[in-house]
Amino acid sequence: QVQLVESGGGLVQAGGSLRLSCAASGLTFSGYTMGWFRQGPGKEREFVAAVSRSGGTTNYADSVKGRFTISRDNAKNTLNLRMNTLKPEDTAVYYCAASIRSTYANRENYAYWGQGTQVTVSS
């Protein structure tokens, strides 16, 4: 049974930083493209960042480029998202997702999802 468990969310002031983690189990972690998505209040779930199986290639939404960094540790089956210079518009539930495809932004290609972790950025 595949499980993706996010952690690290919380309340932070604008300009602050947070680090999200996703612990994966029940799958061959290194065989999956991993991504982060988010869903803000009243909004659709949107792509944030993704990383290739080896960790050598990353992809970011324009809205977070230069502020967020995605990384993975295949030895520990862990996905991370470092978020700097946070803005109120980054407020959302953040989801970790896994795809067997070499894909990035298309959420339809991700078969496995975590339960999400709330990030709230106050102004």
Side-chain angles (χ1 to χ4, degrees):
Q1 180 182 359
V2 175
Q3 282 195 313
L4 302 175
V5 181
E6 302 95 336
S7 61
L11 173 65
V12 64
Q13 288 189 332
S17 298
L18 279 176
R19 184 175 183 265
L20 305 183
S21 293
C22 172
S25 61
L27 76 171
T28 304
F29 184 70
S30 61
Y32 286 78
T33 297
M34 298 299 296
W36 287 99
F37 290 75
R38 67 186 181 187
Q39 188 164 14
K43 298 181 180 180
E44 289 192 357
R45 193 170 299 189
E46 65 176 2
F47 170 74
V48 175
V51 60
S52 63
R53 295 175 181 87
S54 68
T57 301
T58 56
N59 189 271
Y60 297 92
D62 288 343
S63 59
V64 306
K65 203 171 293 184
R67 299 188 298 123
F68 290 11
T69 302
I70 189 172
S71 63
R72 66 189 296 163
D73 186 335
N74 286 344
K76 296 182 179 180
N77 289 2
T78 302
L79 176 72
N80 301 299
L81 184 69
R82 177 67 179 180
M83 305 186 294
N84 294 327
T85 320
L86 283 160
K87 305 175 181 180
E89 51 264 43
D90 294 318
T91 294
V93 177
Y94 283 71
Y95 298 90
C96 166
S99 173
I100 196 66
R101 302 184 182 186
S102 297
T103 185
Y104 292 104
N106 187 347
R107 68 183 188 216
E108 300 299 324
N109 289 335
Y110 287 82
Y112 303 109
W113 294 82
Q115 82 290 349
T117 185
Q118 177 71 48
V119 171
T120 303
V121 184
S122 63
S123 57

